Structure formats: C-alpha cells, structure tokens
Amino acid sequence: MLYENLQMEAARLGVEVYEQPMQPTLKGLYSDDVIWVNHFIPTIAEKTCILAEELGHYYTSSGDITDLTDIRNRKQELRAREWAYRRLVPPEKIVEAYRAGVSNRHELAEYLGVTEEFLQAALKRYREKYGTYAMVDKHIVYFDPLAVAEMF
C-alpha cells in the first residue's frame, strides 16, 4: 500500500515511475522527472525504500550527482535519504508503533513497511542529527537502544 501511495504521489507531481530490469548494483535512479526502480528487487518493502529515496531526489536534488567523490553530490544524496527517512520512519510513527504493541526492530520495520536495513539507517541518522533521543508529543523516542518512554 505504501509503495502504491508513493507511486500516486509521484504521478501527482508529474514524475513517471517505471520498474525496469537493471544491474543488481543499481537499485534505483532519478533523472528529469522519471524514476526507475530495479524490477529484480525481491520485496515490496525494499522497493518502497528505494522509491522513497528517489522521490527524495525529486524534492531535494538538482543536476547530475552520480559522481560521489564530489562532496556536494554526497550531501545531495544524504538530503534525499533524509527525506525518505522522514517520510517512511518519522519518530511519530515509532510512537504509534509502540502504542500498537510493537516491541522490537524487526516488528517495527514490518509495521512501517520498510526493510530492517533502512530502519537501522534511519535510526542511525536520527542519532547523528538529534542525539540519543527526541521528544515526540508526550513521549521520548530513544534511538539506541530503540525504546519509547511515556512522560507523565
């Protein structure tokens, strides 16, 4: 469902999305209002993560950033990934999952519809950006170890 929602968002923006057979090392690509997702990616969760990052490039990137030896390109790559993390793994959804009884990373990834690797990368980035925790309404979301605490 989340994958289809991202596809619909792309369509509303005028961005075409295609699943095409690609080399195994290439999972997705964005250029000139077109996103390609590797058809051979085995799970919808992984395709969702790839599509979100490529859509993040639509929102945050400009120009040809394929040369990742250039720090400016690496920064644009990070901005696109951060957009995808905020879209698919917002701290508010971590609290929602906690309230729904989710108790570990595997269950959280499944609840959010993302891969465990993507979830781990998002939590790592949140730790780098916010420190060990973030306040979300009346909750504290700890990023490592992953936990949610209610404040009274």
Side-chain angles (χ1 to χ4, degrees), residues 14-15 34 37 43 49 66 73 102-104 108-109 122 152:
V15 176
V34 178
V37 176
T43 67
C49 298
T66 54
N73 294 348
V102 168
S103 63
N104 61 51
L108 180 58
F152 295 97

Side-chain angles (χ1 to χ4, degrees), residues 51 71 79 83 86 91 121-122 125 131:
L51 180 53
I71 192 149
R79 277 195 302 271
W83 186 94
R86 287 290 303 160
R125 183 62 188 144

